[in-house]
Amino acid sequence: MKLNEIDQHKSTEEIAKNLLGCLVVKETEAGKVSGWIVETEAYLGVEDEAAHTFNGRKTPRVAAMYETAGTVYIYSMHTHHMLNIVTQPEGIPHAVLIRAIEPFEGEDLMLMNRQKQGVELTNGPGKMTKAMGINMSDNGTNIEEKPLYINDSLKKIPQVIEASPRIGIPNKGIWTEEPLRYTVVGNPYVSRKRGKVSVDNGWKTVLK
DNA sequence: CTTCAGATCACCT
DNA sequence: GGTGATCTGAAGA
């Protein structure tokens, strides 16, 4: 499948916004799980102090970041995994972190993986990867191919997209405050959410 | 409701 | 040996 959202001519910030509303799908032996992306963050390669590739750092762990657009980069930390998608041509280590999803298919499988209910199922980067069964075996694979892929033919459109500072980035100069985090306003699965939930979970009504 | 410490480990220095 | 792109449960306001 060809992904319109990952166009190498677009900026990483633009792609981060376009990915909101896309469906992430993981197919495992146990079954299929999927959910709509409701929260992303942009990481801007060598100049971004908050990125793992700041100042051109290139170690085995971050190697996938330097691959072509659409490559999956998994970062593990504190026994949690985080899902990233490379956004630029080979050699330019920009990526978008998928921070939260709204469950669609396979919610029963997510419940088994997480032992949590409601928004706690997928409202954070480590939570959604655990719920969907995403792990290091997905590192370096392509987001346009199974078993982990994005389906943009069922895309939802956010009513309002909000930009805010990224989470967990202290003491990184201007990069701590830079609004590179994008959320679907009013969606209950957005992490660290305050305020109330919108009708339709913040999605525009489908008019087809 | 909000804040905070501890878990726990791969990877870097 | 030190450090996190986090999560959780417990304690405080």
Side-chain angles (χ1 to χ4, degrees):
Chain A
M1 187 231 300
K2 182 80 175 108
L3 269 186
N4 296 321
E5 279 67 20
I6 302 178
D7 181 332
Q8 302 188 5
H9 298 290
K10 291 179 182 169
S11 70
T12 300
E13 296 96 312
E14 192 91 4
I15 294 169
K17 278 185 274 193
N18 288 346
L19 282 173
L20 293 174
C22 287
L23 192 65
V24 202
V25 187
K26 167 93 187 197
E27 292 184 11
T28 66
E29 293 182 4
K32 180 178 180 179
V33 294
S34 67
W36 281 284
I37 299 171
V38 299
E39 176 175 0
T40 59
E41 283 181 6
Y43 285 87
L44 308 181
V46 299
E47 62 178 56
D48 183 351
E49 288 184 51
H52 296 146
T53 49
F54 173 61
N55 208 16
R57 197 156 67 99
K58 188 172 184 181
T59 62
R61 179 173 68 158
V62 301
M65 289 279 289
Y66 290 83
E67 296 300 317
T68 188
T71 301
V72 172
Y73 166 53
I74 307 287
Y75 174 59
S76 72
M77 155 196 184
H78 286 76
T79 68
H80 302 292
H81 297 292
M82 281 156 264
L83 171 61
N84 298 257
I85 299 169
V86 179
T87 57
Q88 301 294 325
E90 189 173 339
I92 304 178
H94 285 212
V96 172
L97 168 67
I98 310 300
R99 287 189 54 89
I101 62 163
E102 176 185 334
F104 177 44
E105 300 166 293
E107 195 165 346
D108 50 338
L109 281 175
M110 297 190 201
L111 284 168
M112 291 179 62
N113 290 336
R114 281 274 300 151
Q115 312 283 322
K116 293 277 180 183
Q117 294 184 24
V119 299
E120 288 296 316
L121 205 51
T122 55
N123 68 341
K127 299 177 187 179
M128 59 89 57
T129 53
K130 184 172 185 191
M132 295 188 73
I134 293 168
N135 54 52
M136 265 309 185
S137 70
D138 295 302
N139 191 45
T141 63
N142 194 289
I143 200 63
E144 296 179 22
E145 298 166 6
K146 295 178 182 181
L148 175 62
Y149 60 97
I150 283 179
N151 181 344
D152 62 354
S153 65
L154 294 175
K155 187 174 182 180
K156 290 197 176 210
I157 307 298
Q159 289 171 17
V160 183
I161 294 174
E162 182 175 75
S164 55
R166 292 173 292 184
I167 305 293
I169 314 289
N171 312 316
K172 290 289 192 291
I174 64 166
W175 300 102
T176 293
E177 291 302 323
E178 202 75 0
L180 295 173
R181 172 182 182 234
Y182 305 98
T183 56
V184 177
V185 174
N187 189 285
Y189 291 91
V190 171
S191 70
R192 304 199 185 186
K193 180 168 178 5
R194 305 186 188 194
K196 78 179 183 185
V197 172
S198 305
V199 289
D200 300 328
N201 284 355
W203 303 117
K204 284 187 181 173
T205 307
V206 182
L207 298 176
K208 289 180 187 172

